[in-house]
Amino acid sequence: MQPVIVVYKPLPQDVLDDLRRHAQVVVCEPAPGQAREAFSVALGDALVHADGAIGASVKITPEMIARAPRLKAISTISVGVDNFDLADLTRRGIVLAHTPDVLTESTADTVFALVLSTARRVVELAEWVKAGAWQGSIGPEHYGVDVHGKTIGIVGLGRIGGALARRAALGFGMRVLYTNRHANETAERTYGATRVELSELLAQSDFVCLQVPLTPQTRHMIGAAQLRSMKRSAILINASRGAIVDEAALIAALADGTLAGAGLDVFEHEPLMADSPLLAMRNVVALPHIGSATHETRHAMAACAARNLIDALAGRLSRNIANPEVLAV
């Protein structure tokens, strides 16, 4: 008998067809206007008889997993795994697969787009032009700041951080500082990156880019004290997870001039509320969590996640496992 797979995020047709060649597929998608909570209940019901699941952007709780005794594997169409309780999945012997490689370059492109757009005030000035306000030569009140030759500080020099360092050093002649649990010898040798403590990185960098996963240790790692330690001319870029930054502290720092600007692709609560003070700030570029959102990359992520799940259910997955400890359970 074929395994039963629950799909809880829309997939490209060819990827869905591939899954159907290997399993019985149950598609669980939110109805138009359906609240997130209601969809979570529906998804929990669908998981009861499932052997595997594939999707993204939904919190999969231990309570949902407890109702799914047949579940052997989950494949998330993302690199981040903060929507899951890894310890609970591991204890139950459930493999969690993710897609850490295929989105690296596209996400690094997005990060650097935020660097450029905040430094050169691209979004603000584009809207100014569209509003018909451009009546003559611009003056200093509309100037941005240079990116080339500046110092970029990368908090977390993994795959995406390394791709960002390559763009910064080789493309824009930037000095690269980084913090990481382990030294990145390739980045040091190839891009001249220097590993420093977080306090030094914050104090010296013109652009601080956050590229760490969300864990209990990284939640709110950038708060009021850290923001005060940065240059007043500095720009903060966050395209990892919103809760790494204390959003209230960031809003205060941007409002009082402690920080020059911010480029944000992620927020503590998504979608960002329409009354968020961030949306009224001219020195903020806010994007709707588009880090990997290109046609090519999203298709590659879905295909990778589907293959991960097929292999996991067949007992042959040896890559892209977020909780490798499960193999010893």
Side-chain angles (χ1 to χ4, degrees), residues 46 60 62 135 172 186:
I60 305 297
Q135 301 297 323
F172 288 80
T186 299

Coordinates of all heavy atoms in Angstrom, one line a residue, residues 46 60 62 135 172 186:
A46 N -6.2 16.4 9.0 CA -5.6 15.7 7.9 C -4.4 14.8 8.2 O -4.2 13.8 7.6 CB -5.3 16.7 6.8
I60 N 3.6 23.7 13.2 CA 3.2 22.3 13.4 C 3.5 22.0 14.9 O 4.7 21.8 15.3 CB 4.0 21.3 12.5 CG1 3.8 21.7 11.0 CG2 3.5 19.9 12.7 CD1 2.3 21.6 10.5
P62 N 3.4 20.1 18.8 CA 3.4 18.7 19.3 C 2.0 18.1 19.5 O 1.8 16.9 19.3 CB 4.1 18.9 20.7 CG 5.0 20.1 20.5 CD 4.2 21.0 19.6
Q135 N 10.7 67.9 -9.3 CA 10.5 69.1 -10.0 C 11.8 69.7 -10.5 O 11.8 70.7 -11.2 CB 9.8 70.2 -9.2 CG 8.4 69.7 -8.8 CD 7.4 69.4 -9.9 OE1 7.4 70.1 -10.9 NE2 6.6 68.3 -9.8
F172 N 31.7 44.7 -4.3 CA 31.6 46.1 -3.9 C 32.8 46.5 -3.0 O 32.8 47.6 -2.5 CB 30.3 46.3 -3.1 CG 29.1 46.3 -3.9 CD1 28.5 45.1 -4.3 CD2 28.5 47.5 -4.3 CE1 27.4 45.1 -5.1 CE2 27.4 47.5 -5.1 CZ 26.8 46.3 -5.5
T186 N 37.2 29.5 4.6 CA 37.0 29.8 3.2 C 36.8 31.3 3.0 O 37.4 32.0 2.1 CB 35.9 29.0 2.6 OG1 36.2 27.6 2.7 CG2 35.7 29.4 1.1

